[in-house]
Amino acid sequence: MLKIPGESARDCDGLTRRSFLQVGTLGLGGLALPEFFRLRAQAAGRGAGPGAGARRSVILIWLSGGPGHMETWDPKPDASSGFRGPFGAIGTSLPGVHLGELMPEQAKRMDKLAVLRTVNHGTGDHTKGNHWMLTGYEGPAFNAPDNTVQRRPSIGSAVARLTPDSGSGMPSYVAVPNLRGGTDNLFHYASYLGGGSNPFVVESDPNDPKYRVRNLSLPKGVTLDRLEDRRRMLAAMDQVRRDADTKLRDLDAYHQRAFSMLTGRSVAKAFDISAEDPRLRDKYGRHTFGQSALLARRLVEAGTPFVTVNCVPWDHHGTAPQLKTEEGARKLIPPLDCAIGALIDDLIVRGLYDSTLVVAMGEFGRTPRMNKDAGRDHWGNAFSVLMGCGSMRMGQVIGRSSERGEHVVDRPISPQDVAATVYHHLGVDARSVTFDDHGGRPTRLIENGEPIRELVG
């Protein structure tokens, strides 16, 4: 079993030179660029990521609030209207397989996708569900006094910690456009893995004409010459300490990489969505969902192994200010469908589909029975997750829910199974890896989940 110690809180202490690096803060919870690179290098040295040359990536399309499985990937056209809801089902490229009628793009590509229809964890609590699906472990209850405390690291943070530096200079874990919105959308972070494994959050909508990734350009009034002066001053300060402390030998490398990220073109180019052909941007859809998915493709192509596309909000109870099921579905499902369809095609054309796993999911599904307000409430007993990857066995539906979508009939799938499948794609045997938690106790990355055999063989 591979044991990976947790980051010491002292990793970020004592760096008085930080005041000289304010232009190099990336939005990683205040983590300066050199610290970020140092922590990531330490993680790579201790980790067990993909084998040499196996550059794989994941795009998580996160549907915070919980999409209704009846309107999306598990429609029940023969159920009564109180269960079926306002929409019908459409055929797909797989004979006998249907999706919700608002998903024509995915229906056309169903032979290149897989739907898991029997994911379940049994809770309708947003807080627990978010934590469960993002980390693989049950989280705190909504009404718990510490309900914002993340117990385990997110899948994205674990990937960032375990992924060796590719030399691309790209952040290992990126969230676009932000991690706000939705309900209890709290658990995307590193927990006890340390700040170097937190996501770099873009905090800007790539569909906005004013889109700009902060902290990848110099602040107003700071020229390249001034930045170079700061770098030289740091080098002079470090030389004095380096002579007496061998632990500082590598600081120049980390500062140089931070300097290169600010002054170079490769990272900024990856985030520059305006460089894309307008026709391709149109195909993804000129909305936040579409342009965020396109940006995710650009990032994985440039070397980022994990990107979360945050698509919110999906909590449609029907009581104001929340939308009714029909209103919410018509507003959110078509742009999501458009984005996923274009993303799959784009990854295939660019030769990235074998190496990229696309996952679309929320924290749970919605109640099979419509409520009195023409909405659906929370349901964790059976819901759907979409996966797409050219190197897995696509063109199948895994698991079967009951005739009214209320419970699992066969092939139950746990959140840990979903997480284990993601890790497996990246070459990580999740059950053999442990991290030290806040108390120094070795904690498994995954306790009992298994990669989904129908997908991975």
Side-chain angles (χ1 to χ4, degrees):
M1 179 181 296
L2 179 68
K3 181 176 180 293
I4 303 177
E7 294 291 349
S8 167
R10 294 188 57 81
D11 283 341
C12 297
D13 289 346
L15 294 176
T16 56
R17 60 183 60 79
R18 183 177 302 163
S19 59
F20 291 95
L21 285 170
Q22 293 305 306
V23 295
T25 299
L26 263 185
L28 291 155
L31 190 68
L33 274 169
E35 297 170 57
F36 165 66
F37 286 127
R38 177 169 57 83
L39 291 173
R40 199 170 84 180
Q42 285 179 346
R46 298 168 179 164
R55 197 179 99 180
R56 293 179 170 243
S57 55
V58 175
I59 297 174
L60 170 61
I61 300 175
W62 179 243
L63 311 175
S64 182
H69 51 295
M70 311 279 265
E71 282 72 51
T72 54
W73 299 296
D74 192 10
K76 302 294 182 182
D78 296 327
S80 62
S81 59
F83 288 83
R84 181 180 68 246
F87 301 106
I90 55 174
T92 72
S93 57
L94 291 181
V97 174
H98 293 79
L99 298 182
E101 68 173 84
L102 298 179
M103 289 187 155
E105 299 304 319
Q106 290 169 78
K108 294 174 189 174
R109 297 162 179 83
M110 191 60 223
D111 58 317
K112 299 177 177 65
L113 300 169
V115 174
L116 318 178
R117 283 183 172 169
T118 49
V119 183
N120 68 97
H121 47 49
T123 185
D125 184 314
H126 279 297
T127 311
K128 284 186 177 183
N130 267 269
H131 197 284
W132 227 326
M133 296 306 295
L134 288 169
T135 73
Y137 289 88
E138 181 178 2
F142 172 76
N143 58 359
D146 58 348
N147 65 358
T148 62
V149 177
Q150 188 168 328
R151 269 64 165 172
R152 301 292 183 108
S154 70
I155 300 170
S157 289
V159 170
R161 177 68 180 272
L162 291 168
T163 303
D165 187 353
S166 67
S168 66
M170 296 295 296
S172 292
Y173 176 20
V174 178
V176 58
N178 53 55
L179 289 177
R180 293 174 278 110
T183 303
D184 302 337
N185 197 12
L186 303 170
F187 303 121
H188 298 268
Y189 301 94
S191 186
Y192 45 75
L193 297 189
S197 299
N198 274 334
F200 170 48
V201 185
V202 172
E203 291 292 3
S204 186
D205 183 352
N207 189 52
D208 189 329
K210 297 180 181 179
Y211 163 75
R212 174 179 175 271
V213 182
R214 290 176 290 179
N215 305 310
L216 289 186
S217 58
L218 298 177
K220 185 177 181 180
V222 177
T223 64
L224 287 176
D225 288 341
R226 286 185 62 191
L227 184 62
E228 175 64 21
D229 289 342
R230 292 184 185 194
R231 187 174 71 91
R232 289 174 178 168
M233 189 178 298
L234 278 168
M237 290 174 62
D238 286 340
Q239 187 61 51
V240 175
R241 295 180 63 190
R242 189 177 300 106
D243 291 341
D245 190 346
T246 58
K247 293 180 181 180
L248 297 174
R249 287 177 182 172
D250 293 331
L251 277 177
D252 267 349
Y254 302 125
H255 286 302
Q256 180 58 46
R257 289 168 67 187
F259 182 79
S260 298
M261 192 167 177
L262 284 166
T263 60
R265 289 294 307 153
S266 59
V267 177
K269 182 178 179 180
F271 282 93
D272 182 11
I273 199 169
S274 67
E276 288 290 344
D277 187 326
R279 292 170 295 183
L280 182 62
R281 296 190 69 177
D282 291 343
K283 183 177 179 182
Y284 272 87
R286 296 287 184 154
H287 38 65
T288 303
F289 286 13
Q291 299 306 295
S292 295
L294 175 53
L295 181 59
R297 190 273 295 161
R298 291 181 62 84
L299 295 174
V300 300
E301 190 171 34
T304 293
F306 199 100
V307 182
T308 294
V309 177
N310 188 39
C311 298
V312 296
W314 293 81
D315 198 26
H316 304 150
H317 293 275
T319 52
Q322 294 166 336
L323 299 176
K324 299 179 186 299
T325 290
E326 182 171 4
E327 295 171 325
R330 291 194 184 280
K331 179 179 180 180
L332 298 182
I333 294 177
L336 174 70
D337 184 56
C338 176
I340 290 176
L343 176 62
I344 300 307
D345 289 352
D346 201 8
L347 290 170
I348 292 171
V349 167
R350 292 173 180 272
L352 297 171
Y353 199 41
D354 283 359
S355 60
T356 305
L357 170 62
V358 178
V359 182
M361 67 183 188
E363 65 264 40
F364 45 48
R366 313 300 297 185
T367 49
R369 184 188 291 275
M370 301 281 290
N371 66 28
K372 63 181 180 57
D373 299 305
R376 296 190 192 270
D377 301 316
H378 307 161
W379 196 253
N381 295 331
F383 57 98
S384 298
V385 169
L386 178 79
M387 288 191 171
C389 180
S391 57
M392 291 185 182
R393 295 174 178 172
M394 296 288 101
Q396 58 177 321
V397 170
I398 299 170
R400 180 166 61 93
S401 65
S402 59
E403 292 182 357
R404 300 191 299 192
E406 295 170 296
H407 57 266
V408 174
V409 172
D410 59 52
R411 187 58 175 103
I413 297 171
S414 74
Q416 285 208 359
D417 295 334
V418 174
T421 304
V422 174
Y423 291 129
H424 181 275
H425 167 72
L426 294 165
V428 176
D429 180 2
R431 293 179 67 174
S432 71
V433 176
T434 66
F435 297 102
D436 282 353
D437 66 12
H438 288 300
R441 296 176 296 271
T443 305
R444 289 180 183 271
L445 187 57
I446 288 293
E447 293 284 352
N448 49 36
E450 296 281 359
I452 296 166
R453 61 182 181 273
E454 294 91 339
L455 294 177
V456 303

